[in-house]
Amino acid sequence: MSLAPWEGLAGWLIVIACIAAQFVAGWLVADLGSGVIHWAQDRYGSPRWPLVGSIVRDTIRHHRKPRGFLSKGVLARSGRMFGFAVAVGTAALLIGAPIAFTAALALGIFVSNEVHAAAHARPSELPGWVRRLQRAGVVQSPLHHAAHHRALKNVNFCTLTDWTNPVLERVRFWRRLEALIRLSRGIRTRRDPVVRRQQRRRWRSA
């Protein structure tokens, strides 16, 4: 009996598995990238920085009023991310990255702010398919993202999925990176003004 049909099916399954693995890898790299950018803004960014100071101001404003940016349209929230996604995707293709990986990476970068917005939305404000993706952790759930807005706002910097942050927090990735920067460059983290106000309120009420 010939095994050729089964061999052909196995080959196709391997191809599909490889494409799926590349897509997941691209999605997770986009999640890690969102964390790096978010961490840099929150822990070191200054509103007085040229070019990106306005983005840091938006971040501080967001910590003060987490749902405030939901009133903006998609273009206002994610217009800059579209350009960034195109640039990163083009660079990835030029260096030979697989198409599935590059597609997921670019898509993840582009929708990261929209996923972030969905994490602040009420369930009634979201379509059912988005809520299902949140429950699966494919896009970040409100409960997972809420941990970032508590206390010192120094955890769960990645904003795309529920999968990357637990690994980074378990190995204390951000704390170790901040310690390395402090020891090697003498640069300390910036205390978020929203955190300072929250701490002062706690001291006064104690």
Side-chain angles (χ1 to χ4, degrees):
M1 180 179 178
S2 174
L3 295 178
W6 296 107
E7 290 173 352
L9 177 60
W12 277 108
L13 290 176
I14 291 172
V15 169
I16 292 171
C18 288
I19 292 174
Q22 291 170 6
F23 193 91
V24 172
W27 195 250
L28 292 177
V29 170
D31 193 21
L32 178 60
S34 75
V36 171
I37 293 172
H38 191 183
W39 164 80
Q41 290 175 356
D42 281 10
R43 303 296 281 169
Y44 295 97
S46 169
R48 294 187 294 273
W49 278 0
L51 300 178
V52 297
S54 62
I55 299 176
V56 177
R57 283 194 295 273
D58 287 344
T59 299
I60 295 172
R61 192 177 300 117
H62 170 64
H63 283 171
R64 188 179 302 119
K65 295 182 178 180
R67 282 176 51 86
F69 76 141
L70 296 182
S71 61
K72 297 181 178 180
V74 173
L75 186 60
R77 278 196 304 259
S78 301
R80 283 180 296 208
M81 300 310 295
F82 176 75
F84 187 42
V86 170
V88 172
T90 301
L93 290 175
L94 288 174
I95 64 174
I99 292 176
F101 173 89
T102 302
L105 175 62
L107 178 63
I109 292 171
F110 174 52
V111 303
S112 59
N113 265 357
E114 295 309 300
V115 171
H116 184 194
H120 284 285
R122 300 183 181 91
S124 60
E125 297 171 330
L126 299 173
W129 63 270
V130 173
R131 296 197 300 272
R132 287 191 288 274
L133 289 176
Q134 287 178 332
R135 286 194 293 271
V138 177
V139 300
Q140 193 157 107
S141 63
L143 182 62
H144 185 92
H145 183 63
H148 175 73
H149 284 268
R150 299 191 194 108
L152 300 180
K153 298 174 176 55
N154 61 352
V155 297
N156 285 15
F157 290 104
C158 299
T159 59
L160 189 58
T161 77
D162 284 3
W163 303 333
T164 309
N165 283 317
V167 176
L168 297 178
E169 296 301 334
R170 183 176 293 275
V171 300
R172 297 177 60 82
F173 177 80
W174 306 113
R175 304 294 80 74
R176 295 176 189 275
L177 183 56
E178 290 169 4
L180 178 62
I181 292 172
R182 184 172 62 252
L183 291 173
S184 63
R185 307 297 298 175
I187 301 173
R188 295 184 175 274
T189 56
R190 170 183 62 81
R191 179 68 67 85
D192 193 302
V194 177
V195 172
R196 287 201 298 267
R197 281 193 290 271
Q198 289 173 341
Q199 289 179 329
R200 282 198 296 267
R201 284 198 295 268
R202 291 194 190 99
W203 293 334
R204 289 167 184 164
S205 61

